[in-house]
Amino acid sequence: LAKTTQPISMDSYEGQEVNITCSHNNIATNDYITWYQQFPSQGPRFIIQGYKTKVTNEVASLFIPADRKSSTLSLPRVSLSDTAVYYCLVGAHSGAGSYQLTFGKGTKLSVIP
Amino acid sequence: NAGVTQTPKFRVLKTGQSMTLLCAQDMNHEYMYWYRQDPGMGLRLIHYSVGEGTTAKGEVPDGYNVSRLKKQNFLLGLESAAPSQTSVYFCASSYSNREHYGYTFGSGTRLTVV
């Protein structure tokens, strides 16, 4: 299973752009990189997924360099409601052929007014 | 469209009691998962299912059993609850195993074993 490393916590002021970087040195050729967001007392919510280069949706952008050993989640102009834990995950296939995701401890983002 | 629904939302058990957590999804997803989340530990996979009638062990399966008799339901059972099983339990489902389409999570069940 591919292991990910991301900062434990980050602070940001409202209106700033936030970049959270995740390293995944042993990512496999077929693995996708996925980010989830989790608010207190809620289940994680899918934010964005990518394989290489750049992906953008209405919530965030995901930047993946050519070697795919890291990725950066970019949140434009954060607000207080973006305070949450953000998980970087790299998919892996189990021996049974199932596509499991391994969640690390995530990055706790605190947005300050 | 309800997505993934977990029942109950809260439960307190005495040590040695048994209970079943129910997860239901209405998205026709093939894959379903049970995770537990403890403070500072992230989410850890307990058991998962790749289709109706199938189950498999995840990272922390001891003390739990699961069943997937219907495609839309995935049950997590605790036969003899222990205080170490105090946790928040999340169910999730996904569409495909060829590519990752994103997991949909339920809102969780907070279980306390005293």
Side-chain angles (χ1 to χ4, degrees):
Chain A
L1 297 177
K3 181 180 178 181
T4 61
T5 303
Q6 54 184 121
I8 298 296
S9 64
M10 294 181 69
D11 294 335
S12 176
Y13 288 101
E14 272 191 297
Q16 288 187 329
E17 178 185 73
V18 172
N19 295 309
I20 306 174
T21 297
C22 177
S23 65
H24 27 79
N25 291 321
N26 58 341
I27 187 170
T29 302
N30 295 330
D31 285 342
Y32 279 70
I33 300 156
T34 312
W35 286 79
Y36 285 79
Q37 174 191 57
Q38 186 179 26
F39 297 114
S41 302
Q42 294 186 27
R45 181 176 74 105
F46 176 92
I47 301 177
I48 197 166
Q49 181 187 74
Y51 184 80
K52 61 181 179 180
T53 62
K54 176 184 175 182
V55 179
T56 297
N57 61 22
E58 64 278 4
V59 176
S61 294
L62 179 60
F63 299 92
I64 305 169
D67 65 7
R68 302 197 335 120
K69 294 184 181 298
S70 67
S71 59
T72 299
L73 175 72
S74 181
L75 304 172
R77 298 179 298 281
V78 295
S79 64
L80 295 176
S81 63
D82 292 316
T83 293
V85 177
Y86 292 83
Y87 295 95
C88 164
L89 299 98
V90 175
H93 288 273
S94 75
S98 172
Y99 200 99
Q100 299 180 49
L101 291 183
T102 301
F103 284 80
K105 298 182 180 180
T107 297
K108 185 175 183 180
L109 173 64
S110 299
V111 179
I112 306 165
Chain B
N1 196 347
V4 176
T5 303
Q6 292 183 232
T7 53
K9 294 190 183 302
F10 303 93
R11 185 73 185 268
V12 178
L13 283 181
K14 293 182 179 179
T15 298
Q17 286 186 320
S18 64
M19 78 163 294
T20 300
L21 282 68
L22 172 63
C23 176
Q25 53 95 2
D26 60 2
M27 298 169 285
N28 201 34
H29 283 172
E30 202 68 37
Y31 296 80
M32 296 187 74
Y33 312 82
W34 275 107
Y35 286 88
R36 62 176 288 173
Q37 185 171 37
D38 302 304
M41 295 293 292
L43 285 89
R44 293 182 291 171
L45 182 65
I46 305 171
H47 286 280
Y48 64 96
S49 169
V50 302
E52 182 178 317
T54 74
T55 63
K57 295 181 180 180
E59 180 185 358
V60 288
D62 294 341
Y64 305 95
N65 56 76
V66 289
S67 64
R68 183 98 181 268
L69 299 180
K70 293 183 179 180
K71 185 177 183 178
Q72 64 268 33
N73 296 335
F74 195 29
L75 278 64
L76 178 70
L78 287 73
E79 291 188 350
S80 179
S84 61
Q85 294 177 305
T86 293
S87 187
V88 180
Y89 293 85
F90 288 102
C91 176
S93 68
S94 65
Y95 176 71
S96 169
N97 75 328
R98 288 188 177 274
E99 290 182 4
H100 180 62
Y101 286 82
Y103 284 19
T104 300
F105 280 83
S107 57
T109 296
R110 185 174 297 273
L111 175 66
T112 302
V113 183
V114 298

